[in-house]
Amino acid sequence: MITDVDTTLDPLFIQKSEEAYRNPTEVQMSQIVLPCHANHCGELSAGQLLKWMDSTACLSAERHAGCSCITASVDDINFEHTIGVGKVVNIIAKVNRAFTSSMEVGILVTCEDLYTDRQWKVCHAFATFVARRTEAGKVQLKQVIPHTQMEQMEYSLAAERRRMRLIHAEIITDLLSSSTAQLECQEYQDAVPAERTRVESVELVLPPHANHQVSTFGGQIMAWMENVATIAACRLCNAHPTLRTIDMFHFRGPSHIGDRLVLKAIVNNAFKHSMEVGVCAEAYQGGEPLRHINSAFMTFEVLDSDRKPRTLPRLRPEPDGKRRYQEAIARKKIRLDRKYIITCKQTEVPLSVPWDPSNQMYLSYNNVSALKLMDTRNNWVLTSEKNKVRLYTLEENHMLCFKVEMYVSVPAEQTFHLLSDLRRRKEWDRHYEECDLINQADEDDTLYRIATPSVRKGGKGQDFILLASRRKPCDSSDPYLIALRSVTLPTHPPTEDYTRGEVLCAGFAIWEESSTLTKITYYNQATPGVLPYISTDIAGLSSGFYSSFCACSQFLEANKDTDILWKTFCAILI
């Protein structure tokens, strides 16, 4: 059933003018939850919801691609509420961005009470779909053209989410191998043997389980996996568990009608109020060997009569299950980092978050995403302009942001390389007194300590510990980005000589206007530590911003040939 849904519950689907414009890839599904969809507690089965979500997202992907599509992966899903029998489930899906042959589809799930006319968000997710090959060969997807500010925001963030998906498995593997070496399995009295929670089940893939290309629906596989995971969780606690999260997972291969799907689940570890269940799906036909289809990690809770999480029994791993037990502890920390850093709104995240290798990927994502969000806003107010250097301000949610915009006759890539190294910023920015490189985390992320002079005569200077994250364009519609935010490091605590300042979001967006002309936009979400340096400019009492960015322009012009020579020299050495 297709209907109109109030999508104001989540900014993912807010449109600037909903009545006048509707995204051409948008698909909506509404379903009344019947007893046949529910478990014995009268709540919608999470597996059934996953099937509906996958079907809606697939229809959206196929509407954009013009051909059949298959589910490739699903990002983390956090279920905020359960849904009772008699309620209406509303699902909206739309394509955020298309790449060569894959696309990201955003999915929003809300629940509606028909008797009180109330709606609330259940979850939102991002799924990646791949267009299937046709007789003509590999499909080249058309680009998504964003029309509203929110569509532009999601289009921009989709590139950053894709980058994280591509490196996710490798980084998780590295983090688990380094973390589990330091963990030990604790012994508890009356602990439940892990072997008691083991579940194995087989399903025969029939035509109702498959799409029009006779491939098993990704949502159907997820539903079967959720079913065996629920049984495993129930065996640990002897009560009905509630699914709270599903970690990001990828489909490793296809399944077809006639396949026997072997589903295995076991509780990997139990914590005070939650447990992690590992699930694996494998397929075979006849006497052929098993094919790995998918693996996932699901987190369950058991709720009491007040809907509060109950204390769970402890788990005793078997000798061959100690690795799973230890990895579950490491994954829990990674999961908390991911939820804390990525899913929080900017106003809910502390300015300085502790940095370490285990959360580097998520801090980098948050850093770049915050800058992209600022770049997509279109309600900036021009405060002053001098010789084509413009200062804009934006006050939103009790937060003041500013941006400086100018053009330089230097190619965009050279501009990006010259501005990326913060150690050179003191050559043009009088506020950068010292800049020390602390740690080159990888090619894209660097940690710096910045020292700035005091604004008041005789006062203390400030210092900042900054994470600088660089991004090259995903395609011609993206800018080069240099994102900055404060982090904390145990090796660099505050000192008596400086007041420790903090930066929530700052950085450069560098747009290629032509082969020789570049637009530079500098953004800063003004915090108490930053505001004194810009307040007189915003009030119109000074034009210090103009002097700084004129010096920046001169710095870029003077060094563009040097940068070309250096890159040529490096290329020769390589």
Side-chain angles (χ1 to χ4, degrees), residues 219-400:
Q220 179 63 68
I221 296 173
M222 288 188 277
W224 282 333
M225 293 174 73
E226 185 272 337
N227 178 60
V228 293
T230 300
I231 295 171
C234 192
R235 286 180 176 174
L236 175 78
C237 58
N238 300 123
H240 176 71
T242 298
L243 180 62
R244 282 304 184 208
T245 66
I246 303 176
D247 289 0
M248 180 190 295
F249 61 86
H250 300 260
F251 285 93
R252 306 296 178 185
S255 167
H256 306 285
I257 290 175
D259 276 350
R260 279 70 171 170
L261 237 64
V262 179
L263 303 136
K264 301 173 184 177
I266 190 169
V267 177
N268 292 330
N269 204 332
F271 307 101
K272 186 175 182 180
H273 293 132
S274 66
M275 70 187 97
E276 180 195 275
V277 181
V279 198
C280 174
E282 298 173 313
Y284 72 95
Q285 284 199 19
E288 68 179 22
L290 290 169
R291 310 188 312 273
H292 184 199
I293 302 298
N294 193 5
S295 292
F297 299 101
M298 303 184 183
T299 304
F300 289 85
E301 294 177 347
V302 176
L303 305 179
D304 61 20
S305 57
D306 296 323
R307 309 297 293 176
K308 301 293 184 184
R310 274 173 41 184
T311 300
L312 299 176
R314 289 295 185 174
L315 187 83
R316 184 176 69 248
E318 304 302 320
D320 64 345
K322 289 186 178 180
R323 178 184 57 82
R324 291 194 302 268
Y325 182 94
Q326 292 169 331
E327 288 183 350
I329 298 171
R331 269 191 299 271
K332 184 185 180 188
K333 181 189 183 305
I334 294 168
R335 203 174 288 125
L336 288 172
D337 286 339
R338 198 160 54 210
K339 181 178 180 181
Y340 179 65
I341 294 169
I342 293 180
T343 63
C344 287
K345 297 176 182 177
Q346 283 297 308
T347 53
E348 296 172 352
V349 181
L351 300 189
S352 290
V353 176
W355 179 93
D356 64 57
S358 70
N359 68 7
Q360 175 192 325
M361 178 172 67
Y362 311 116
L363 275 174
S364 181
Y365 171 88
N366 178 274
N367 194 14
V368 174
S369 298
L371 184 62
K372 285 188 171 186
L373 287 173
M374 214 181 295
D375 188 51
T376 57
R377 289 175 179 163
N378 57 12
N379 49 343
W380 294 92
V381 177
L382 180 63
T383 302
S384 59
E385 179 178 2
K386 187 174 180 181
N387 292 342
K388 297 184 179 179
V389 179
R390 296 171 179 159
L391 174 66
Y392 296 83
T393 57
L394 172 64
E395 190 171 0
E396 198 170 75
N397 298 327
H398 307 290
M399 189 79 72
L400 179 67

